[in-house]
Amino acid sequence: MNEMQFACLKDRLKAASNSKFYKKKFKESGFCPEDVRTPEDIVKIPFSSKEDLRNAYPLGLQAVPDSEVVRIHSSSGTTGLPVIIPYTAQDVTDWSIMMARCFETAGITKEDRFQITPGYGLWTAGIGFQAGVERLGAMAVPMGPGNTEKQIQMMVDLKTTVLGATSSYALLLAEQIQKRGLKDKISLKKGIIGSERWGDKMRQRIQEELDISLYDIYGLTEIYGPGISISCEGKKELHYWDDYLFFEIVDFQTGEPVKDGEVGELVITTLKKQGAPLLRYRTRDLTRLITEPCSCGCKYPRHDRIIGRADDMCKVKGVNIYPAQIDGLLSSIDGASSEYQIQVDHVNGKDEMILRFEKEGSVEKQNIESHVQKMFKSKIGILVQTEALEKGGLPRSEKKTVRIIDNRMD
């Protein structure tokens, strides 16, 4: 932590003390902002989690008067109360600066036409993309999600050069463009893809079918939204904006810092956020920090791709299974496509799991089912049922694809 970051941290500690959430959090944990006297003292600050933030519903996180709040955004609330985040005018400006930086890092210029397909409204994605595009000075085409027919029409007629989307929707668009024979009619050069973790095989499919360069963009509603980091040309790692955010990596089980370069849970502290400053927020996202400078020349530090979430693990027959493992498995098998879905049931006192995946080309169904089953047992450790489907056999999503259906939770 440098001197500027530490000064910002102390300032945000004072600001956070104005919110009901942090007043209660500090009191319950016996923490006082004055306890932080050196950068190393950041570990004294109690963690906050999404569960904590839900308990602050609706506006317990707000650290400024109502007169300074110009907007709210919210998480979906699909697994509990939504998390509502208030923004000041400066928060909105800061977010647009970070988004514009992302697009500049991806080589986007004022000459580009940027088709925005993520949703608008309470969700942060669409409006964040648009603010960054407009700040950069490029042309925003604010489509929002769905209506694939109209999306492709606008893509062709307006000759959009950049696509902003989830990986699931980018794949759906790529498949529809191929199906309609319109690849030579589109002008796309780049794709800015975020909101969900995606594997190399899916990445390769989108890249090849649309003939574009892809960039990972990362963010969370609780922090600002998308735009807190992005990959640069041809790299797996993402640059993050350390003048606005302080990143730590901790062991997701113990909360203790991991060694430099080791994978762990990303913890984020906002250094300038006014409406709802967050201190040591546990994202549940698994990654590692990269200490070496990047060959692209960008001065901002990097983290690796998000490899999964600490809480998206599925335990079957006593074995912990992560979506990233399935991605890696299918990526290593010729003839298996990127798309899959896991279904877990509890039958007659035992766990049963079926892995449905799409096969490529004329690959023989029974052979690849047997091969995937064998590789799953070898690499992940349990015997599962496998079912190979033709391409397009699994549902496509305009938002995020559901990979795990765990019927044991019903």
Side-chain angles (χ1 to χ4, degrees), residues 266-307:
L266 176 61
V267 175
I268 301 177
T269 295
T270 60
L271 298 176
K272 294 184 180 177
K273 206 150 191 265
Q274 297 177 342
L278 282 183
L279 306 168
R280 305 197 80 205
Y281 178 68
R282 297 190 67 158
T283 66
R284 300 300 183 195
D285 289 328
L286 301 175
T287 185
R288 66 189 181 100
L289 297 185
I290 310 295
T291 55
E292 300 84 11
C294 185
S295 60
C296 79
C298 179
K299 65 178 181 178
Y300 291 99
R302 296 177 293 162
H303 67 86
D304 213 340
R305 282 181 190 163
I306 304 300
I307 63 168

Side-chain angles (χ1 to χ4, degrees), residues 218-406:
Y218 175 64
L220 305 91
T221 298
E222 300 89 338
I223 303 300
Y224 282 94
I228 65 176
S229 66
I230 194 168
S231 60
C232 54
E233 182 69 39
K235 302 290 199 317
K236 291 185 176 182
E237 300 84 11
L238 290 78
H239 292 277
Y240 66 94
W241 319 125
D242 64 341
D243 49 344
Y244 286 96
L245 307 158
F246 185 73
F247 281 17
E248 301 172 74
I249 305 291
V250 303
D251 183 297
F252 70 86
Q253 292 179 318
T254 67
E256 293 297 315
V258 302
K259 294 178 181 177
D260 286 350
E262 285 188 0
V263 171
E265 180 183 355
L266 176 61
V267 175
I268 301 177
T269 295
T270 60
L271 298 176
K272 294 184 180 177
K273 206 150 191 265
Q274 297 177 342
L278 282 183
L279 306 168
R280 305 197 80 205
Y281 178 68
R282 297 190 67 158
T283 66
R284 300 300 183 195
D285 289 328
L286 301 175
T287 185
R288 66 189 181 100
L289 297 185
I290 310 295
T291 55
E292 300 84 11
C294 185
S295 60
C296 79
C298 179
K299 65 178 181 178
Y300 291 99
R302 296 177 293 162
H303 67 86
D304 213 340
R305 282 181 190 163
I306 304 300
I307 63 168
R309 288 182 56 81
D311 55 5
D312 71 0
M313 178 265 291
C314 177
K315 195 165 190 174
V316 181
K317 299 178 182 179
V319 175
N320 296 338
I321 300 171
Y322 292 89
Q325 292 174 290
I326 314 298
D327 283 332
L329 176 74
L330 295 178
S331 292
S332 70
I333 298 174
D334 290 337
S337 183
S338 62
E339 296 309 287
Y340 68 90
Q341 189 176 79
I342 292 169
Q343 180 179 319
V344 187
D345 295 280
H346 198 66
V347 181
N348 298 325
K350 295 181 179 180
D351 289 341
E352 288 189 0
M353 174 177 156
I354 182 166
L355 169 61
R356 297 185 175 92
F357 62 95
E358 294 180 2
K359 68 185 186 71
E360 295 178 336
S362 58
V363 175
E364 209 282 322
K365 174 179 166 69
Q366 193 171 4
N367 287 347
I368 196 158
E369 285 176 347
S370 176
H371 185 49
V372 169
Q373 185 181 58
K374 181 179 178 182
M375 293 298 290
F376 198 103
K377 171 68 174 174
S378 171
K379 290 193 172 185
I380 298 176
I382 61 172
L383 186 66
V384 300
Q385 299 175 55
T386 55
E387 182 181 353
L389 306 171
E390 299 296 329
K391 270 195 179 179
L394 288 170
R396 297 296 190 256
S397 174
E398 295 168 356
K399 295 182 181 178
K400 299 181 183 181
T401 296
V402 176
R403 299 290 186 191
I404 299 177
I405 300 172
D406 193 341

